[in-house]
Amino acid sequence: MTGFVNPRTPDDEPIVGRDRPRLDSTMKVTGRAVYTVDIEKPGMLHAKVLRSPYAHARILSIDASAARSLAGVTAVVTREEIIGLHSYGTYVKDQPIVATESVRYVGDVVAAVAAVDERTAFAALDLIRVEYEQLPAVFDVRAAMEPSAPAIFPDQPFAAYPEYGDGASGAAHTAHNVSYEFRYETGEESVWADCDYIFEDTFTFSRMNHMHLEPFATVAEATANEIEVWTSTQSPFPMRKELARVFGLPENDIRVNVPLLGGGFGAKNGPKTEAIAIRLSQLSAGRPVRYCMSTEEVFLTLSQHDAILTVKSGLKADGEFMARQSRVLLNGGAYADASPLVAEKAGYRMPGAYRWKRIDSVCQAVITNSVPAGAYRGFGATQATWASERQVDLIAERLGFDPLELRLKNTKELGEEFVPGETPIDSDLKHGLILVADAIGYRDRTRLSNRGMGVAIGIKDGGGVNKPAQARVKVTTNGDVFLNCALVEMGQGGHSALCQIVAETLGCDPKRVRYAAIDTDNTPFDQGTNASSGIAVMGHAVRQAAERVKCSVLDTAAEHLMLDRQSIRLDDWTIVDAEGTTYELPPLIMERFGGTGFEFTADGYYKARSASSAPLEAPCIFWEIGWAAAEVEVDPETGRVELLQLVVSGDAGKVVNKLGCRGQDEGAAVFGLAQALFEELRYDDGELLNGEALLYRVPLAEDIPRRFSSITQEQGHGAGPFGTKGMGEGGMLPIAPAIAQAIADATGAQLTSLPMTPERVYNGIRAARVRHGGADGNA
Amino acid sequence: MRGQKLGAGLIAQSQSALPPFILHRPTSLGEAVALTRQHPEAVIAAGCSDLVAQFREGLEPEVLVSVQRITELRAISNNSGVLSIGSGVSHAEGSRSPEIVSTVPALAAAWGSIATVRIRYRGTLGGNLLSRRYRYEMPVILSALGGQMQFHGGDITALPVSSLWERDSLWDRSLGNVGILTAVTVDTASLLWFGYERSMRPVSTVSLAVRKNPVAGLTVSAVCGSEYRQPFVLSHAAEATDITELDPVSVGQVLAAQLPDEAGDYAGSIDYRRHLVGVLCGRLLAEATGNQRKG
Amino acid sequence: MSLESPESNEETLTHNVEFELNGSPERHCVPTSATVLDLLRNSCGKQGVRASCERSVCGACTVLVDDLPVAACSTFAFDVDGARVETVEGLAAQDGTLSAQQQAFRECGGFQCGFCTSGMLMLTTALLRQNPQPEREQIREWVSSNTCRCTGYEMILESVERAAELAGAKQQDQVSE
Ligand SMILES: Cc1cc2nc3c(=O)[nH]c(=O)nc-3n(C[C@H](O)[C@H](O)[C@H](O)COP(=O)(O)OP(=O)(O)OC[C@H]3O[C@@H](n4cnc5c(N)ncnc54)[C@H](O)[C@@H]3O)c2cc1C
Ligand code: FES
Ligand code: FES
């Protein structure tokens, strides 16, 4: 652990607007914010779809003639209307616009209709005849991998995946019904021989829906040669690229507009409503078509990955971690979507926050006849952290260590590398652990019966892999500022934070900076709003653009005023010279550029260096860390868990907006809390039992512990501008493991499955009593 | 979601695309009854908080009779040992009603604990019962109390609340035209104690009433509710003359043992559910034995 | 039967709804099956009323009907005949000055994506009308009527507390003036 460079320290001054409300606050509290669902176009048509009633079936015939001839119907899309168009998917291009030869899950889209109003569209759907031949279906990942299981894709769809660096590899279709497999390996296999103990445990992870309040929605205006969409997507440019591929058009014939998003949490990547709306518009003579899903349809569109994770860890008698092997099966559902990427991350993030001499991870994304799974807040790290952290606690119990001590002993140091070739750890992990532990009084508590505490840490590589970002800043003659970049505002406060970075750089009030509407014709390129990359990656591009604008303003002013360039500075759109004399810029600009004035414009660009020694193409931008501590009280008779305290903490590196950072950690923590205790998509032999808002239980205010708080750390080592790091996902990672350990601490019940329902807790308590040899179970 | 009309798949129907219906908004029960006789297929609407879900599941009314303006349905009375609660009483009104609070306070408390503040203003007793959804609680609460549903204008006049989920009954709507549910009545004269336990919802809820038998002994009736299964009525006749003589733990177990195997579901296996219901009944009885007031 | 409902017309299947919206009278002829959500968003242009679950659960569409919080998606337009309806658009003063609730949600970060915010604000309005100084527990109970997927609720609870404080201060000012 010598020779590492301790990363940057933060600038001392707080960023302008740090303690103020976010810049989008007024429009959101007045109801004036505009989302995709609010977009209306003259002559707009409405789309509705028919979905498969079967989990797996061959489509023998479709007769949509009656639907087509219904008055008010302008277009019907079935497999006939998509001949020649391509399928989509992140790496594996397996999802057609509507089902072609077969349907692969209950809810798969079979046909779509556009009509003058929704009622007519529904009436038309009711006229479509479809003959199916049911096929055997498979829902369980292990069963799906059996050779005897039905092949969900008899012909392997086209797949393209990245070149990995040292130790990592990936491939599509490596086993029966496996869409993608990721492997990572480092260190010598022989390390196992030096271990005094080896433990192997299997964990299961549940599946949630994203439940963003704004559903998937698109308005499309499209002809055979030109496409324009207004759509609720986190990734405008990848969307444009995918649509270009699907429809076989050049990218400059496609324009993607993105209004505000009413939540995303990962769901709004990749086509959802877009391709259907576009195709219907093309067939309706270019009239605008709106396709807005209902919540019930959102449930049938995308979910998180449930998983089975087997982890084997070896350690020395004194508790030193040595070697870890993991085998992870992710349930990817019927179409690959982002499964390959999630598999990559779930496998890669398996070491957790700890030092190992040998790591060997395999993660497979399995195809089943259920709702496709894709990107979801935490992105593979939630699954990995559940298994990784849970096993640390199991081991601590077996060997008689205090779980916190065992963690502190093995946690990586600040600046230590995660794995060879990867970015060094950029937070003091132990500091955070102690911080949250002390916040709930972990270390000096008096033990009360049926009460327990747990502490956990989650870590994920943040900022996206190999991610370029661009931004443009424009300032009008009067000093009104536009920021032009493609970071999508979905609640995270990214627009406000980036505007503040511009304001900080230009020395102006953040209120003067306007985040320009996003459209792919005019907005500079970006790879997508994901991986908590907004500040740490896009922030650099934005800051550079603002710096460049400032430079050209100062250059111009120095020349015009005949002042020494080095002695002047920009403050609130005035030039201040060394003596403190101020010069208003507007008259100066008018004088210099003539009666129409001028706009100073500059572009910024940022991309982290790539390196073949980095396992995933490029070292990550930063490490996103989540620390949590929980206290529970368990009713041993019923297994009911009451969460008494929950403390979550993240490291912002440096805070750009206080409320924004806090909200990210708390929001993420509540996702984790729900996953820990109750929220899940319930499948009973393949049938989704709760795909509906009332039946699908999401957390409400009453589910939040009365003592719930977050601590935003500013450790200052971030690689983003001003020392910032990304936020938004880390807070979710450690919650379920911390609660699980608190339950174990309270009752002895060691749970390995999520959610930790009363029945599981109750059975766990009984098992613990047996394990501990009888009577003293919850003593 | 609803099924497509030709069986070719699922459609995400929404109420805003519902075809318009013939709307009636009677202001008296008499008018309403006449309307339902005239239009036996009419859909009755109260707070509509469940009806919208039914529209999304495919219900398409041609005639809709809104009972919101019928003040008679909002009446609550307590006469000679019979508590009568109008079907149009909202959860908020019911849980604050002086008549209910003074006769069966635990019923008022239980009623005031269901759903959410917003729904409590809107949802009605009648709607909660006749939505025929397993997870709704008024059927569980009122059947332990031996509640009787009073109908008007249909083929029947009165039915016990527990008949809601009896086979060939209201649950599967095979009873024909039930007309309008006007009220639920509860006999309070013989009621010794009532309590409702929903802390384990939706895994299991339990409502429990203890009554004095006409001749001798006590009857303990418990009803177990859950998310995916119909409520189950459990009962125990004890020779005791006084609640305090009941042994909460053993009576709880006797009641829970009556749960049939079908009571197990995704949210709780039958073994766990029997155990849990036993614990919850035991706790309610422990409260009852220490507290012999009604409710 | 026709005498009691002259406002609905059996042949046309439409209904005339007269109500007060944010203090001004409105009259619209809508299909009998129109919901309050349709009425407000489509006929009255109140786009601040959001729709999500359309099933009475999330409360994103919460508006006030005669001071009570109601899910616009699950209430028929005919049910607000003669009622006073309030939406988020009615909260701020004519000159744009934000109401206490709006200020509080801004200040305390009681929103992220903003999709639940209109509903949360209306819920807060109803609560503060019933009880200008609610305790934390009552706020929790009320806020539990609606869903927010972004904030984790703590900052919404704080916003409601702050709204009560701000509204109280305003009242004080008015009294002392
Ligand atoms: C978000 C949410 C949470 C909820 N949580 C709970 C909960 O925790 N516990 C619980 O118990 N319930 C819960 N409910 C249900 C709620 O309490 C209501 O009772 C229920 O939604 C129906 O009431 P309503 O008056 O709106 O009925 P409506 O929707 O108007 O009607 C429902 C059904 O009853 C019929 N009906 C209504 N009145 C009569 C009558 N007088 N005669 C004949 N038929 C009639 C209607 O035709 C319809 O079929 C919840 C509902 C929602 C939306
Ligand atoms: S949209 Fe009305 S309650 Fe969800
Ligand atoms: S702010 Fe997004 S749902 Fe509440």
Side-chain angles (χ1 to χ4, degrees):
Chain A
M1 286 182 310
T2 49
F4 61 76
V5 276
N6 195 341
R8 308 133 284 264
T9 47
D11 304 2
D12 291 333
E13 291 285 302
I15 292 168
V16 56
R18 175 189 195 268
D19 298 322
R20 285 203 234 155
R22 284 163 47 164
L23 295 166
D24 54 351
S25 55
T26 303
M27 67 174 166
K28 286 180 175 171
V29 300
T30 52
R32 284 202 301 268
V34 174
Y35 304 85
T36 301
V37 290
D38 301 320
I39 303 289
E40 268 185 65
K41 299 277 157 194
M44 190 166 80
L45 302 164
H46 297 267
K48 293 288 165 193
V49 308
L50 176 67
R51 294 174 179 272
S52 168
Y54 302 116
H56 198 193
R58 186 168 296 123
I59 301 176
L60 300 178
S61 68
I62 304 181
D63 176 1
S65 51
R68 271 180 240 286
S69 49
L70 185 72
V73 171
T74 56
V76 178
V77 170
T78 67
R79 56 187 179 179
E80 297 294 316
E81 284 75 27
I82 61 160
I83 292 170
L85 303 184
H86 293 280
S87 296
Y88 55 85
T90 309
Y91 289 176
V92 183
K93 307 292 182 188
D94 59 358
Q95 191 160 5
I97 300 174
V98 294
T100 52
E101 73 280 9
S102 65
V103 286
R104 298 186 173 87
Y105 71 99
V106 173
D108 213 350
V109 178
V110 177
V113 167
V116 288
D117 56 30
E118 297 192 350
R119 193 177 308 145
T120 310
F122 283 126
L125 290 178
D126 276 319
L127 298 172
I128 298 175
R129 287 182 190 280
V130 185
E131 262 188 292
Y132 300 94
E133 177 196 330
Q134 280 200 68
L135 298 170
V138 63
F139 308 105
D140 174 81
V141 285
R142 285 185 176 133
M145 292 174 73
E146 295 288 332
S148 59
I152 298 172
F153 284 94
D155 308 315
Q156 292 177 354
F158 171 78
Y161 36 90
E163 297 251 324
Y164 292 106
D166 291 356
S169 62
H173 320 301
T174 54
H176 190 57
N177 284 327
V178 166
S179 61
Y180 191 77
E181 175 174 315
F182 174 81
R183 287 174 174 268
Y184 179 71
E185 221 182 302
T186 187
E188 297 299 322
E189 180 70 17
S190 59
V191 175
W192 289 104
D194 301 331
C195 297
D196 296 318
Y197 297 101
I198 294 175
F199 298 103
E200 184 177 300
D201 299 284
T202 296
F203 304 90
T204 58
F205 187 88
S206 53
R207 181 200 287 214
M208 306 201 294
N209 182 262
H210 302 73
M211 272 297 271
H212 35 78
L213 284 202
E214 181 207 29
F216 297 117
T218 299
V219 175
E221 250 178 51
T223 61
N225 317 315
E226 237 178 325
I227 293 174
E228 176 155 22
V229 292
W230 290 261
T231 195
S232 190
T233 185
Q234 296 177 218
S235 303
F237 286 94
M239 177 62 68
R240 183 181 72 181
K241 187 170 175 210
E242 191 79 316
L243 294 176
R245 199 191 114 80
V246 170
F247 291 96
L249 287 177
E251 286 183 63
N252 58 1
D253 285 336
I254 297 175
R255 184 188 298 158
V256 178
N257 302 276
V258 183
L260 294 174
L261 263 61
F265 314 114
K268 293 174 176 173
N269 282 296
K272 300 286 180 308
T273 37
E274 292 83 357
I276 288 171
I278 290 168
R279 190 65 191 129
L280 286 168
S281 176
Q282 287 180 328
L283 297 172
S284 305
R287 279 176 73 177
V289 173
R290 175 181 198 257
Y291 178 29
C292 176
M293 287 195 199
S294 73
T295 299
E296 292 90 335
E297 291 183 279
V298 170
F299 278 107
L300 295 179
T301 301
L302 199 75
S303 75
Q304 193 185 27
H305 288 83
D306 61 73
I308 300 176
L309 310 100
T310 300
V311 187
K312 186 166 97 174
S313 299
L315 58 167
K316 284 289 204 193
D318 67 354
E320 183 190 352
F321 291 175
M322 299 289 285
R324 176 171 266 186
Q325 184 194 66
S326 64
R327 298 290 178 260
V328 178
L329 300 177
L330 296 177
N331 183 354
Y335 295 101
D337 197 275
S339 284
L341 271 164
V342 178
E344 180 183 301
K345 297 300 192 183
Y348 190 60
R349 292 166 178 170
M350 216 52 193
Y354 309 107
R355 194 177 300 123
W356 306 93
K357 295 187 165 66
R358 161 79 183 162
I359 289 174
D360 160 16
S361 306
V362 180
C363 182
Q364 292 170 311
V366 183
I367 309 166
T368 64
N369 294 110
S370 60
V371 175
Y376 195 108
R377 194 173 209 167
F379 212 90
T382 354
Q383 288 86 344
T385 307
W386 168 244
S388 167
E389 284 293 273
R390 204 70 273 275
Q391 202 198 25
V392 171
D393 288 321
L394 291 179
I395 292 173
E397 186 196 64
R398 287 170 192 147
L399 299 183
F401 292 113
D402 175 82
L404 178 60
E405 291 306 321
L406 186 62
R407 283 180 170 80
L408 292 172
K409 181 179 175 67
N410 290 289
T411 301
K412 289 208 155 99
E413 301 292 336
L414 173 67
E416 194 174 338
E417 84 191 336
F418 176 73
V419 292
E422 187 51 275
T423 302
I425 301 293
D426 55 1
S427 287
D428 184 338
L429 304 179
K430 292 179 190 173
H431 173 77
L433 274 171
I434 291 168
L435 193 69
V436 293
D438 287 350
I440 63 160
Y442 182 95
R443 290 195 296 183
D444 48 35
R445 71 198 136 133
T446 22
R447 289 209 150 259
L448 296 170
S449 73
N450 300 320
R451 284 216 192 174
M453 291 185 177
V455 176
I457 178 171
I459 169 167
K460 70 189 282 281
D461 46 310
V465 171
N466 230 356
K467 199 175 172 204
Q470 282 170 265
R472 181 171 306 138
V473 170
K474 309 199 297 175
V475 190
T476 69
T477 307
N478 290 326
D480 300 320
V481 187
F482 288 96
L483 168 59
N484 216 229
C485 65
L487 181 103
V488 172
E489 177 59 59
M490 49 193 181
Q492 82 282 37
H495 283 189
S496 182
L498 293 177
C499 288
Q500 285 173 244
I501 289 177
V502 173
E504 175 73 22
T505 312
L506 296 180
C508 70
D509 188 314
K511 282 192 184 140
R512 294 202 80 171
V513 187
R514 182 187 181 83
Y515 198 99
I518 298 173
D519 87 68
T520 49
D521 279 11
N522 296 298
T523 308
F525 178 80
D526 172 52
Q527 215 192 44
T529 308
N530 48 39
S532 310
S533 61
I535 297 301
V537 180
M538 183 59 87
H540 274 298
V542 166
R543 189 185 187 188
Q544 188 183 63
E547 282 289 353
R548 286 181 174 165
V549 164
K550 184 168 89 177
C551 278
S552 70
V553 172
L554 290 174
D555 287 348
T556 309
E559 198 186 311
H560 196 78
L561 298 169
M562 288 182 292
L563 290 170
D564 170 28
R565 167 70 173 78
Q566 298 313 316
S567 70
I568 59 172
R569 62 191 173 86
L570 181 63
D571 181 25
D572 199 15
W573 211 235
T574 47
I575 298 294
V576 186
D577 70 14
E579 277 81 54
T581 316
T582 57
Y583 307 86
E584 299 271 327
L585 273 168
L588 185 155
I589 295 168
M590 295 300 280
E591 216 178 291
R592 171 146 185 128
F593 295 96
T596 49
F598 185 68
E599 266 188 16
F600 287 90
T601 303
D603 282 0
Y605 164 77
Y606 180 76
K607 181 176 172 311
R609 68 263 175 248
S610 44
S612 68
S613 61
L616 307 183
E617 292 181 277
C620 69
I621 308 295
F622 65 92
W623 290 98
E624 191 173 349
I625 321 291
W627 295 268
E631 182 180 22
V632 301
E633 176 157 3
V634 182
D635 176 346
E637 271 190 308
T638 61
R640 182 169 184 269
V641 175
E642 190 188 347
L643 194 51
L644 300 174
Q645 290 197 69
L646 182 66
V647 173
V648 61
S649 182
D651 175 14
K654 183 171 173 82
V655 168
V656 177
N657 187 284
K658 238 182 178 170
L659 292 170
C661 290
R662 182 178 162 205
Q664 284 304 298
D665 271 342
E666 293 185 2
V670 170
F671 266 75
L673 176 164
Q675 185 132 39
L677 295 174
F678 52 81
E679 184 179 334
E680 63 171 336
L681 288 166
R682 294 176 162 179
Y683 280 92
D684 200 1
D685 193 27
E687 184 200 352
L688 179 58
L689 297 177
N690 59 347
E692 191 259 310
L694 184 61
L695 301 177
Y696 184 78
R697 184 162 170 235
V698 295
L700 297 173
E702 64 194 16
D703 295 309
I704 308 309
R706 286 178 175 74
R707 295 170 70 189
F708 171 46
S709 61
S710 60
I711 305 171
T712 309
Q713 300 177 50
E714 287 188 272
Q715 292 195 7
H717 314 298
F722 313 104
T724 51
K725 296 170 75 166
M727 305 271 290
E729 301 182 85
M732 183 172 175
L733 310 182
I735 306 297
I739 294 174
Q741 176 50 23
I743 293 171
D745 190 46
T747 64
Q750 292 286 7
L751 301 196
T752 53
S753 296
L754 289 173
M756 295 178 275
T757 58
E759 180 169 11
R760 285 186 173 138
V761 174
Y762 174 72
N763 289 339
I765 293 170
R766 290 206 302 179
R769 285 190 188 148
V770 172
R771 213 169 48 240
H772 297 292
D776 64 338
N778 59 54
Chain B
M1 299 292 259
R2 65 167 171 91
Q4 190 241 26
K5 290 186 178 151
L6 304 173
L10 303 173
I11 292 178
Q13 181 70 47
S14 106
Q15 62 271 32
S16 45
L18 200 65
F21 37 70
I22 295 166
L23 170 67
H24 293 286
R25 298 195 296 158
T27 50
S28 75
L29 187 56
E31 283 169 38
V33 165
L35 282 165
T36 55
R37 292 218 170 103
Q38 195 185 333
H39 308 281
E41 77 295 349
V43 168
I44 294 175
C48 296
S49 58
D50 191 81
L51 216 43
V52 287
Q54 297 180 33
F55 296 147
R56 295 171 83 78
E57 290 156 4
L59 177 68
E60 226 176 70
E62 271 171 34
V63 179
L64 189 119
V65 178
S66 166
V67 296
Q68 289 287 74
R69 293 181 162 189
I70 308 177
T71 39
E72 288 145 279
L73 297 181
R74 299 229 158 142
I76 303 176
S77 66
N78 181 26
N79 289 323
S80 47
V82 176
L83 180 63
S84 172
I85 310 169
S87 65
V89 175
S90 72
H91 306 332
E93 291 159 355
S95 58
R96 291 174 200 155
S97 143
E99 283 84 1
I100 302 176
V101 171
S102 61
T103 22
V104 196
L107 168 60
W111 199 351
S113 68
I114 72 169
T116 67
V117 172
R118 177 169 48 77
I119 295 295
R120 278 176 222 146
Y121 285 120
R122 196 77 199 150
T124 62
L125 172 61
N128 192 285
L129 295 172
L130 293 184
S131 295
R132 303 162 168 92
R133 303 231 187 232
Y134 291 154
R135 59 183 287 128
Y136 289 178
E137 294 162 88
M138 292 312 281
V140 176
I141 292 171
L142 287 169
S143 54
L145 282 167
Q148 295 281 324
M149 299 183 287
Q150 309 295 331
F151 292 92
H152 208 63
D155 308 334
I156 38 169
T157 53
L159 276 178
V161 172
S162 58
S163 70
L164 270 173
W165 55 83
E166 270 161 20
R167 238 166 247 306
D168 303 321
S169 174
L170 278 181
W171 204 268
D172 49 20
R173 295 161 199 261
S174 56
L175 258 188
N177 179 19
V178 296
I180 292 171
L181 174 70
T182 55
V184 173
T185 53
V186 172
D187 166 15
T188 55
S190 63
L191 182 67
L192 295 177
W193 193 86
F194 171 73
Y196 182 56
E197 173 47 81
R198 74 191 296 273
S199 66
M200 295 302 289
R201 193 174 183 270
V203 182
S204 276
T205 55
V206 174
S207 68
L208 185 145
V210 185
R211 282 182 189 274
K212 211 175 178 54
N213 292 345
V215 186
L218 304 177
T219 300
V220 182
S221 317
V223 179
C224 159
S226 71
E227 193 158 14
Y228 303 111
R229 295 288 181 267
Q230 64 158 73
F232 292 98
V233 179
L234 318 167
S235 88
H236 174 66
E239 283 174 13
T241 50
D242 192 278
I243 291 191
T244 49
E245 293 164 34
L246 296 172
D247 172 27
V249 174
S250 65
V251 175
Q253 279 167 0
V254 167
L255 290 167
Q258 297 167 23
L259 273 181
D261 288 353
E262 314 87 270
D265 68 14
Y266 184 97
S269 67
I270 183 59
D271 289 343
Y272 174 68
R273 182 151 287 149
R274 281 198 190 110
H275 163 77
L276 180 64
V277 169
V279 170
L280 297 180
C281 287
R283 286 182 183 175
L284 285 167
L285 282 164
E287 226 182 288
T289 52
N291 168 17
Q292 290 178 66
R293 279 172 297 109
K294 287 176 187 177
Chain C
M1 232 43 50
S2 52
L3 72 163
E4 86 285 351
S5 46
E7 65 278 69
S8 64
N9 181 330
E10 291 201 8
E11 271 103 82
T12 60
L13 301 169
T14 57
H15 186 86
N16 286 317
V17 201
E18 271 182 70
F19 63 109
E20 188 189 300
L21 177 57
N22 299 331
S24 313
E26 294 269 344
R27 188 189 162 91
H28 295 275
C29 181
V30 294
T32 48
S33 58
T35 61
V36 174
L37 182 71
D38 302 330
L39 178 70
L40 294 176
R41 274 186 72 94
N42 304 335
S43 308
C44 306
K46 300 297 179 212
Q47 300 258 314
V49 185
R50 312 281 173 209
S52 177
C53 71
E54 294 190 69
R55 203 234 169 280
S56 221
V57 180
C58 72
C61 63
T62 303
V63 297
L64 301 193
V65 176
D66 293 335
D67 296 322
L68 296 180
V70 162
C73 68
S74 304
T75 307
F76 283 113
F78 63 72
D79 260 343
V80 298
D81 226 351
R84 258 185 314 114
V85 177
E86 294 164 78
T87 68
V88 70
E89 286 87 351
L91 290 180
Q94 292 292 339
D95 67 356
T97 308
L98 299 182
S99 69
Q101 306 89 294
Q102 292 173 309
Q103 275 177 39
F105 273 70
R106 265 192 88 218
E107 254 180 47
C108 303
F111 70 93
Q112 285 182 25
C113 77
F115 214 76
C116 70
T117 312
S118 304
M120 287 291 184
L121 284 165
M122 298 320 287
L123 199 59
T124 306
T125 308
L127 167 61
L128 295 185
R129 246 175 232 174
Q130 286 192 15
N131 182 1
Q133 286 168 313
E135 295 289 321
R136 194 27 105 104
E137 281 307 304
Q138 194 185 10
I139 297 174
R140 244 170 100 96
E141 196 191 6
W142 274 69
V143 172
S144 295
S145 299
N146 286 8
T147 308
C148 172
R149 193 55 158 168
C150 299
T151 59
Y153 297 110
E154 185 65 28
M155 294 165 87
I156 291 183
L157 301 179
E158 288 174 14
S159 300
V160 180
E161 283 172 339
R162 178 77 182 132
E165 231 174 80
L166 286 173
K170 245 182 219 169
Q171 207 98 62
Q172 287 265 304
D173 286 355
Q174 275 161 10
V175 171
S176 56
E177 262 165 29

